[in-house]
Amino acid sequence: MPETLLEQHAEALRLFGERVRAVRDDQWDAPTPCAEWNVRELVNHVTGEQLWIPPLVTEGRTVEELGDAFSGDVLGEDPVAAWDRASAAAHAAFAASGALDRTVRLSYGPALGSAYCSELTADCVVHTWDLSRGIGADDRLPDGLVEFSIKEVMPYADGLAASGMYAAPLEVPAGANAQTRLLGLVGRKG
């Protein structure tokens, strides 16, 4: 199972990275399905999430210790390079020996590295769809990543809206495909 999780994580990072590299210079201010974020802010958010991983997973640091280290603009002048560095370091941290079995101290409490990796993999998948929509790219997500993300999100979908992380879940038609069901769980209409 850990190999499968690491493969899913790598695939989600790769897919998001493809979309980051597809952003044209005139698209960084374009809106996304995340009403509070334009394309640059969305990429900044997902890149910032990756920056948290090495110190939390590898160094055993806490959110409190890190404070606002990754607040504000983490993209700088070269968003693609910032993404590439952050995503490579994040994946290396999760892939390190024992990382998925390690307890990570997150803002909401302790979690296994595997749970943290799963959470961020699903988040990256959903935000790949957001970014695809924001830049007008193909928004179809790979079936395996969609199924993985549904299994990850389903147990706590109702709480996501209360946390402010996502919009409230939407009703989806009976027989809807897996991507539509995933998007509905996180308050997006596909």
Side-chain angles (χ1 to χ4, degrees):
M1 184 63 162
E3 289 178 9
T4 301
L5 174 56
L6 289 174
E7 289 169 1
Q8 296 285 6
H9 182 252
E11 177 67 7
L13 294 175
R14 184 194 63 73
L15 193 63
F16 190 82
E18 284 178 1
R19 298 307 187 272
V20 172
R21 284 183 277 290
V23 178
R24 295 188 320 262
D25 288 342
D26 64 341
Q27 291 180 312
W28 288 103
D29 291 325
T32 70
C34 300
E36 68 276 10
W37 292 328
N38 64 26
V39 166
R40 184 179 175 92
E41 292 161 338
L42 174 67
V43 172
N44 190 70
H45 164 72
V46 180
T47 302
E49 286 185 327
Q50 306 318 305
L51 292 172
W52 284 95
I53 296 167
L56 294 175
V57 173
T58 306
E59 301 168 21
R61 297 183 67 191
T62 66
V63 172
E64 293 79 21
E65 289 172 344
L66 293 167
D68 62 359
F70 306 117
S71 296
D73 180 19
V74 299
L75 298 178
E77 294 296 316
D78 190 346
V80 173
W83 165 258
D84 287 343
R85 282 190 305 274
S87 62
H91 188 70
F94 280 133
S97 180
L100 297 180
D101 298 320
R102 198 170 293 141
T103 298
V104 182
R105 293 171 292 172
L106 303 171
S107 60
Y108 54 80
L112 280 178
S114 58
Y116 185 37
C117 184
S118 294
E119 174 188 326
L120 290 183
T121 299
D123 190 67
C124 193
V125 170
V126 171
H127 286 319
T128 296
W129 182 84
D130 294 330
L131 182 55
S132 298
R133 283 288 177 107
I135 65 171
D138 182 359
D139 65 6
R140 288 173 296 173
L141 300 167
D143 293 341
L145 284 177
V146 170
E147 291 296 340
F148 173 89
S149 299
I150 288 172
K151 288 176 188 163
E152 172 61 22
V153 172
M154 187 151 327
Y156 54 86
D158 291 335
L160 289 175
S163 73
M165 291 180 7
Y166 289 106
L170 302 175
E171 292 288 327
V172 295
N177 67 31
Q179 181 168 316
T180 301
R181 290 193 326 270
L182 172 63
L183 296 172
L185 282 172
V186 294
R188 285 153 172 83
K189 188 171 178 134

